[in-house]
Amino acid sequence: MVTIVGARPQFIKAAAVSRAVRTSFPEMIREVIIHTGQHYDDDMSKVFFKEMEIPEPDYYLEVGSGNHGYQTGEIIRRTEETLLAEKPDVVLVYGDTNTTMAGAIAASKLHFPIAHIEAGLRSFNKSMPEEINRIVCDHLSTFLFSPTLTGIKNLIREGFAEHAKPPFSIDNPGIYHCGDVMLDNALYFTDKAEESSHILEELDLKAKEFVLCTLHRNNNTDSALRLNAIMDTLNEISRGRQIQFILPLHPRTAKMLPVILESGLRESIKANPFFRVTAPVTYFDMLLLESRCRMIITDSGGVQKESYFFRKPCLVLRPESEWKELLEAGTAVITDAEPGKIKLAFDLYYSQPPDLFPPLFGDGKAAEFILGELVKFLAPGLVK
Ligand code: UD1
Ligand code: UDP
């Protein structure tokens, strides 16, 4: 089995499956990890392998950053070479990045079956590069593992057969509702994070008295209007309410802020003791921040879900979300980059935090389920 990863959220998702290989299928599955190098800074890559005990990648392709054509093309080219050398029974890809789509293109052209973990998610907004990556990857996959029922519905609407009969293939893929491997991790690692993270002391934060923010989506970072509107609003709320706002900054945003942020706003943020911008934090630090904060404000897909795992209200700095269940449950709200909506939602959630978080993402054993299903098809003789 080959696992293809390259970006931060994929290291985190793959950690759950890699752990399940070692604990539940050590005799049956040999995992080979390909790291495309899409993310490469230590705090965007290495730190997760170490902290979450993911085995060192067997191949590091060093593709790095670039335009979509360059990055996608190089991942296809370099992944193809390694897949030809490894000849895997199945190729695992995660989520919706360029690594996901390029890995799927390389594997499908070589006729290696693909298992897509986080299949079926749709924003219905094809101006997002991730939406294109999701659609292409799903249509090249043999095993579609969807964390939510909305994902399953989306696949059926796109023409996938709900009750396809094995043997599964790229032309007759199997659809599974499997829960979320990110919940597996949140449950598994929270105690370890409690023991080893000192982020609250380091940032002098008190439980329930701070707001956690993340911001990296390209339509926010690359638009002067949106980036200034979001940063101005976070600055204004934190200063006005005298509540700590913590923003661990993705390198994409860190590179754009000095270019795009209006100089008056930059100075105002610098002088605001309630608004702190830091380097990206580790996964354990993130778990601690998420579990102790009062509220989360984000444009991240993964952080939206984690807000739910930790029963925190979430403001979504995007025009829509793939995680419809959270919006329906009323625990997350779309504010886009609109100051009025952000302020209104903040006030509402601050005074009346939601308290109902029915289980939506499985039982913390999604990775075992996924591997169990794959083994049934790929090594039926080994299954009791
Ligand atoms: C990518 C994914 C996005 C995902 C995000 C997770 C695509 C199209 N986008 O976005 O879906 O939500 O990862 O974090 O695949 N950079 C560094 N150091 C790094 C990595 C990136 O400085 O280690 C900077 C570079 O300037 C680079 C920019 O960030 O050009 C963007 O990186 P890229 O991987 O292209 O996209 P992300 O915005 O990270
Ligand atoms: N994350 C982290 N450190 C940070 C920011 C995020 O460990 O400074 C984790 C977060 O807890 C989640 C994942 O990264 O598990 C989400 O990745 P990201 O927001 O980069 O991408 P997305 O989920 O939007 O694709």
Side-chain angles (χ1 to χ4, degrees):
M1 176 179 99
V2 160
T3 295
I4 303 178
V5 290
R8 173 168 67 187
Q10 294 166 337
F11 309 136
I12 293 168
K13 291 165 198 168
V17 176
S18 230
R19 190 169 62 248
V21 169
R22 296 192 300 278
T23 54
S24 303
F25 300 88
E27 308 297 325
M28 294 188 204
I29 300 175
R30 184 177 75 89
E31 184 185 30
V32 171
I33 299 179
I34 300 178
H35 183 328
T36 64
Q38 177 169 349
H39 287 173
Y40 43 85
D41 291 345
D42 282 358
D43 58 10
M44 293 295 287
S45 172
K46 212 177 227 167
V47 69
F48 300 102
F49 284 80
K50 193 159 175 260
E51 197 172 59
M52 303 175 87
E53 297 180 0
I54 309 166
E56 282 287 306
D58 299 273
Y59 296 89
Y60 186 63
L61 305 186
E62 292 184 69
V63 171
S65 304
N67 293 336
H68 286 279
Y70 167 81
Q71 194 175 56
T72 308
E74 280 304 302
I75 298 174
I76 295 175
R77 193 176 70 74
R78 299 182 201 190
T79 305
E80 184 180 62
E81 283 173 17
T82 55
L83 290 176
L84 280 169
E86 287 294 333
K87 299 193 177 37
D89 294 332
V90 64
V91 176
L92 261 60
V93 292
Y94 292 87
D96 54 18
T97 72
N98 287 347
T99 288
T100 317
M101 181 179 76
I105 290 173
S108 61
K109 296 272 177 122
L110 295 171
H111 306 152
F112 296 125
I114 296 163
H116 185 201
I117 297 174
E118 252 187 31
L121 298 176
R122 296 290 182 267
S123 63
F124 301 100
N125 171 4
K126 290 201 188 91
S127 72
M128 279 183 89
E130 292 82 0
E131 183 75 350
I132 293 170
N133 293 342
R134 293 178 191 126
I135 293 170
V136 172
C137 181
D138 280 344
H139 285 264
L140 300 179
S141 295
T142 292
F143 304 97
L144 293 148
F145 290 103
S146 174
T148 60
L149 286 171
T150 300
I152 302 279
K153 277 191 210 140
N154 291 339
L155 289 171
I156 294 164
R157 187 160 35 189
E158 248 165 59
F160 289 91
E162 186 175 9
H163 302 294
K165 296 266 179 301
F168 296 138
S169 69
I170 189 169
D171 290 315
N172 179 43
I175 297 180
Y176 303 84
H177 178 217
C178 62
D180 202 302
V181 292
M182 288 183 70
L183 178 63
D184 297 12
N185 278 333
L187 294 174
Y188 182 80
F189 285 115
T190 296
D191 285 350
K192 294 180 198 295
E194 300 267 353
E195 280 164 28
S196 64
S197 169
H198 302 290
I199 190 77
L200 299 181
E201 295 84 343
E202 283 162 21
L203 296 176
D204 196 19
L205 296 171
K206 293 196 182 58
K208 300 225 170 126
E209 291 183 19
F210 68 94
V211 174
L212 173 65
C213 313
T214 79
L215 184 62
H216 76 274
R217 217 35 82 182
N218 69 323
N219 74 325
N220 283 332
T221 61
D222 300 1
S223 151
L225 199 68
R226 293 179 67 92
L227 194 60
N228 277 287
I230 292 170
M231 292 299 283
D232 189 37
T233 311
L234 301 183
N235 186 38
E236 190 187 320
I237 304 176
S238 58
R239 193 191 285 276
R241 291 289 206 128
Q242 307 219 326
I243 298 164
Q244 290 288 339
F245 273 45
I246 304 301
L247 172 60
L249 210 56
H250 189 289
R252 172 184 206 111
T253 324
K255 283 179 185 154
M256 291 312 282
L257 280 184
V259 184
I260 280 187
L261 214 57
E262 284 158 13
S263 60
L265 177 56
R266 198 176 318 141
E267 291 312 313
S268 172
I269 291 173
K270 245 193 224 161
N272 178 358
F274 296 100
F275 191 12
R276 273 184 295 168
V277 179
T278 72
V281 296
T282 72
Y283 179 66
F284 284 7
D285 285 347
M286 199 63 184
L287 290 181
L288 250 267
L289 291 170
E290 289 171 337
S291 68
R292 297 295 197 279
C293 69
R294 175 133 190 155
M295 194 184 305
I296 292 179
I297 305 183
T298 190
D299 60 5
S300 157
V303 176
Q304 279 178 65
K305 273 187 290 181
E306 286 166 345
S307 74
Y308 196 84
F309 303 161
F310 291 106
R311 305 174 64 86
K312 305 294 172 174
C314 180
L315 273 53
V316 183
L317 300 168
R318 288 180 39 195
E320 74 285 300
S321 171
E322 305 72 63
W323 304 104
K324 312 268 181 251
E325 283 83 351
L326 308 193
L327 305 177
E328 284 161 14
T331 67
V333 65
I334 297 288
T335 61
D336 205 3
E338 291 184 34
K341 285 190 184 167
I342 299 172
K343 286 181 212 163
L344 198 69
F346 179 89
D347 285 341
L348 201 70
Y349 276 152
Y350 197 81
S351 56
Q352 294 171 358
D355 57 2
L356 281 182
F357 291 77
L360 290 175
F361 292 99
D363 57 1
K365 296 205 177 330
E368 275 83 2
F369 173 82
I370 289 166
L371 292 175
E373 292 302 314
L374 291 177
V375 166
K376 262 191 224 164
F377 285 98
L378 300 169
L382 294 177
V383 183
K384 285 176 214 135

